[in-house]
Amino acid sequence: MAVVAPNATEIRGLIRKAKRWDVIFVSLGIACLGIGLLTFATLFLDMLIDGWSRLNPEFFTQFPSRRAGQAGILSAWVGTTLVMLVTAFFAVPLGIGAGVYLEEYAPKNWVTDIIEINITNLAGVPSIVYGLLALGLFVYTFGLGQSILTAGLTLALLILPVVIVATREAIRGIPGIIREGAYALGATKLQTVKDHIVPYSTPGILTGVIIGMSRAIGETAPIITIGALTFIAFLPPSPISDVPPFVNFEWLKAPFTVMPIQMFNWTSRPEAAFQHNAAAAGFILVLMTLLMNGLAIWLRYRLRKNIKW
Amino acid sequence: MTGPGPSAMPTVVSARLAKKFSRNLRERAIEAILFFAAFVSVLTTVGIVYVLVSESVHFFQRVSLWDFLTDTQWTPLFDDAHFGIMVLLSGTITSSLVALVVAIPMGTVIAVYLSEFATPRAREISKPILELLSGVPTIVYGYFALLFVTPILQALIPGLPGFSLLAAGLVMGIMIVPYVASISEDAMRAVPMALREGSFAMGATRLQTALRVVFPAAISGIAAAYILGISRAVGETMILAVAAGMQPNLTFNPMESAATITAYIVQVALGDLPHGSIGYQTIFAAGLTLMLLTLAFNLVGFYMRKRFREAY
């Protein structure tokens, strides 16, 4: 025969060579994952080391100051907490309501299509554009000013798609027999939704809410765009008062600052002392988002393990 | 059960009817409220378009569209004002390109590895870590780019300025990696197992199967991941505002500092511009440009994702 068939050793050599590429690629994949992880570890440690000297109790109880060593994040964390309250107040009911509507009620027609396309599109809109929306609409047209209410509303709109998508996914995981069972016992649609659909999808919805809130905590661009001040050395009026009716809503209209803006302000100063403050604030910020995301991932993991329909 | 007597019948029926009526009313009301919640997303879009367009209309009454698109200077706050969006676009494009040079190869390799090679356990550990990475606030990445990455780059590249598109772009790339990796991985996992089995049966190795069978089969989904990554990079704000500088600069050289569209909006918002001034209006014109840019990318990405879903 003219054609020489490759012998067994040659074939083994070829196979070995091809398999070597497999190994090379796996190493490359692990290396890329490693770079990502290493970057994150470096970022975390870099901020911990840079900010270590400032991470003490006074840092949380002092207002920003012209002297870096005395500056703290009191007004920033109070501001962040209040803004998050407003954000959750609007985003959670609206997001869950929209998710329930789209999964349980929406008829298949062009209105529903438009809503769905809108939500997909909004998820991809850059956050700074939400800031421009808030500046033009909330600040000037509605006259809400550069207040906690404006910031909370803006962030609520920003994270709405996250909450809606999570709600829909959670509801979609509930099998149809649950609904049929409820209807068979004479429940109305509202009763089915209220007593079965929403309770059973709560862990999934909660995951989405936590991820959305962790995103809102770190958002800087839209809050800067509405014109939040970077130097605030006072606290908004307390939500609780000692005279009836014991609550007041003056704080909604108060000027404010939030953690990421405080950090941005310190980062953009040339003095190294302020950059230590920025690192400390950044570390707290990362720790917070890390804990929230971790909680969300853990919740989802438990959810998958425990529920078998 | 004996039931109510004939004389009691009408009142019982009407009571039940009334109850049913009020129940129906409540059902309808709740449905309307839920519909309103869903409709908020439409209102948001309408609001965004209204705000951007109405302010931009004022802007384009003062500045011609032609100047906006062709002028090579961006000095809206100077006496000799120029409004060439090209200047800001060049910063946006350059930084996005740097980010994509990092994010696309890394994201793709990670996606192929996780989808075709990793054990289920490795995947279960890696995916949440990637998710955590994408949850880091961008201002923190900005700090990292300015105060950690820039000094290192300056040691490696003499003459690199303190603010550069390179440092910002690199960190932005790392930030986008999880995004690209996770969408590409979804696309590759959607490829039916039979294709892989066919390839293995022909004697192909895992890598050959991954690159020559799975990757081409998932290409439209992977392309969608790239495009959504681009749209992410174009809209990113804080990393650039912190680490790339805020000086408008018509350049495609990543070693220079330059303002992007987003960084310009931040810069103006930090100042105290009166409502209705030309400076105030420029950020809406810039925002409209940004919105149109990302909208175009998102639509292409959306279309491609839809296509790959329907392929099998």
Side-chain angles (χ1 to χ4, degrees):
Chain A
M1 269 228 282
V3 181
V4 182
N7 59 33
T9 26
E10 270 179 301
I11 293 176
R12 274 200 203 99
L14 280 175
I15 292 175
R16 211 175 298 131
K17 212 168 138 192
K19 287 207 163 166
R20 202 173 302 141
W21 279 106
D22 271 21
V23 176
I24 291 173
F25 187 84
V26 167
S27 336
L28 189 67
I30 293 174
C32 280
L33 267 176
I35 291 174
L37 196 61
L38 197 70
T39 310
F40 183 68
T42 314
L43 179 148
F44 197 70
L45 287 177
D46 177 47
M47 274 190 306
L48 181 62
I49 293 166
D50 279 359
W52 182 251
S53 60
R54 304 291 302 127
L55 283 169
N56 48 39
E58 287 83 57
F59 192 59
F60 293 87
T61 56
Q62 276 165 340
F63 286 112
S65 159
R66 261 175 265 285
R67 280 181 290 274
Q70 292 171 14
I73 54 168
L74 178 61
S75 50
W77 74 254
V78 172
T80 288
T81 311
L82 293 176
V83 170
M84 285 306 118
L85 275 178
V86 179
T87 301
F89 180 80
F90 287 104
V92 173
L94 277 179
I96 296 175
V100 169
Y101 177 79
L102 289 172
E103 283 302 315
E104 298 293 318
Y105 286 88
K108 265 209 168 303
N109 61 19
W110 60 274
V111 181
T112 309
D113 282 348
I114 286 182
I115 293 174
E116 297 211 12
I117 292 170
N118 248 294
I119 291 167
T120 316
N121 183 44
L122 282 177
V125 169
S127 61
I128 196 158
V129 171
Y130 284 91
L132 291 172
L133 164 74
L135 180 66
L137 211 59
F138 298 151
V139 176
Y140 289 115
T141 309
F142 295 167
L144 300 178
Q146 285 135 1
S147 59
I148 290 176
L149 181 61
T150 302
L153 279 172
T154 312
L155 294 180
L157 290 183
L158 183 70
I159 66 167
L160 209 48
V162 180
V163 181
I164 295 176
V165 169
T167 305
R168 296 188 66 178
E169 265 172 27
I171 292 178
R172 234 177 272 154
I174 300 172
I177 46 168
I178 300 284
R179 295 175 189 84
E180 285 156 17
Y183 292 143
L185 291 171
T188 64
K189 191 151 201 168
L190 174 60
Q191 285 166 336
T192 311
V193 165
K194 185 174 58 134
D195 298 334
H196 299 280
I197 303 297
V198 172
Y200 302 161
S201 52
T202 302
I205 295 173
L206 204 60
T207 309
V209 169
I210 295 171
I211 289 176
M213 294 300 282
S214 89
R215 191 172 155 203
I217 280 189
E219 273 301 343
T220 324
I223 311 270
I224 290 184
T225 310
I226 63 175
L229 300 172
T230 49
F231 191 91
I232 295 268
F234 54 86
L235 290 182
S238 164
I240 302 154
S241 62
D242 51 0
V243 289
F246 302 113
V247 284
N248 76 65
F249 292 99
E250 282 303 303
W251 58 275
L252 284 172
K253 290 180 242 158
F256 67 101
T257 190
V258 287
M259 292 280 293
I261 288 194
Q262 188 64 69
M263 181 181 174
F264 173 66
N265 179 257
W266 281 332
T267 307
S268 49
R269 290 191 190 207
E271 304 96 323
F274 278 108
Q275 287 163 0
H276 290 306
N277 289 353
F283 179 77
I284 295 161
L285 209 53
V286 174
L287 204 64
M288 261 170 8
T289 53
L290 211 60
L291 285 176
M292 289 174 80
N293 275 297
L295 180 68
I297 290 166
W298 178 78
L299 259 173
R300 197 172 47 205
Y301 179 74
R302 268 197 52 143
L303 179 77
R304 269 203 214 128
K305 262 190 139 175
N306 287 358
I307 296 187
K308 288 194 181 69
W309 295 104
Chain B
M1 214 175 116
T2 48
S7 61
M9 212 40 178
T11 56
V12 170
V13 168
S14 67
R16 282 174 67 179
L17 273 177
K19 199 176 162 196
K20 198 178 169 204
F21 177 74
S22 80
R23 199 170 65 186
N24 276 344
L25 205 67
R26 206 166 57 221
E27 296 274 331
R28 293 272 159 225
I30 290 288
E31 185 170 345
I33 291 170
L34 293 179
F35 173 77
F36 172 75
F39 201 70
V40 166
S41 70
V42 179
L43 294 180
T44 310
T45 307
V46 171
I48 289 174
V49 172
Y50 167 75
V51 166
L52 291 182
V53 170
S54 66
E55 294 289 347
S56 297
V57 164
H58 291 305
F59 174 78
F60 285 116
Q61 278 166 356
R62 300 201 203 174
V63 179
S64 78
L65 185 62
W66 179 251
D67 286 346
F68 185 67
L69 294 176
T70 59
D71 204 323
T72 55
Q73 279 180 288
W74 179 265
T75 53
L77 307 178
F78 291 8
D79 286 339
D80 175 28
H82 286 279
F83 303 91
I85 194 72
M86 247 186 352
V87 181
L88 298 181
L89 263 180
S90 77
T92 297
I93 292 169
T94 311
S95 59
S96 301
L97 282 178
V98 173
L100 294 176
V101 166
V102 176
I104 287 187
M106 269 183 74
T108 312
V109 168
I110 289 177
V112 172
Y113 169 73
L114 286 181
S115 146
E116 304 300 315
F117 290 89
T119 58
R121 208 180 137 67
R123 196 180 301 132
E124 224 166 83
I125 296 171
S126 309
K127 286 210 94 175
I129 290 176
L130 284 177
E131 242 174 279
L132 286 182
L133 258 175
S134 63
V136 173
T138 57
I139 176 71
V140 171
Y141 277 119
Y143 172 91
F144 185 66
L146 181 68
L147 297 171
F148 189 86
V149 175
T150 301
I152 292 177
L153 288 176
Q154 279 175 322
L156 294 174
I157 310 166
L160 190 77
F163 297 105
S164 68
L165 291 169
L166 182 66
L170 286 178
V171 174
M172 193 156 78
I174 294 280
M175 184 198 87
I176 299 172
V177 165
Y179 204 64
V180 173
S182 117
I183 301 177
S184 313
E185 201 225 329
D186 286 346
M188 278 189 275
R189 299 250 272 162
V191 172
M193 208 33 122
L195 284 184
R196 289 186 191 92
E197 283 159 0
S199 171
F200 290 143
M202 301 301 291
T205 62
R206 267 176 185 268
L207 185 65
Q208 287 165 338
T209 307
L211 297 185
R212 296 188 202 166
V213 176
V214 180
F215 191 87
I219 192 69
S220 57
I222 294 169
Y226 294 169
I227 287 166
L228 296 175
I230 296 173
S231 143
R232 223 22 193 334
V234 167
E236 174 45 43
T237 309
M238 293 322 291
I239 298 178
L240 294 150
V242 170
M246 294 199 183
Q247 285 301 317
N249 181 6
L250 181 60
T251 180
F252 290 99
N253 178 3
M255 310 294 175
E256 289 181 30
S257 99
T260 60
I261 298 178
T262 50
Y264 172 73
I265 298 174
V266 165
Q267 187 198 11
V268 169
L270 282 173
D272 206 13
L273 276 180
H275 176 53
S277 68
I278 184 88
Y280 173 83
Q281 285 159 1
T282 53
I283 63 174
F284 290 93
L288 184 64
T289 315
L290 184 69
M291 177 77 188
L292 290 176
L293 221 58
T294 51
L295 184 68
F297 284 125
N298 285 339
L299 284 180
V300 174
F302 181 67
Y303 170 75
M304 287 185 139
R305 260 182 115 171
K306 216 170 172 143
R307 239 192 63 183
F308 99 79
R309 270 199 198 132
E310 285 161 3
Y312 300 102

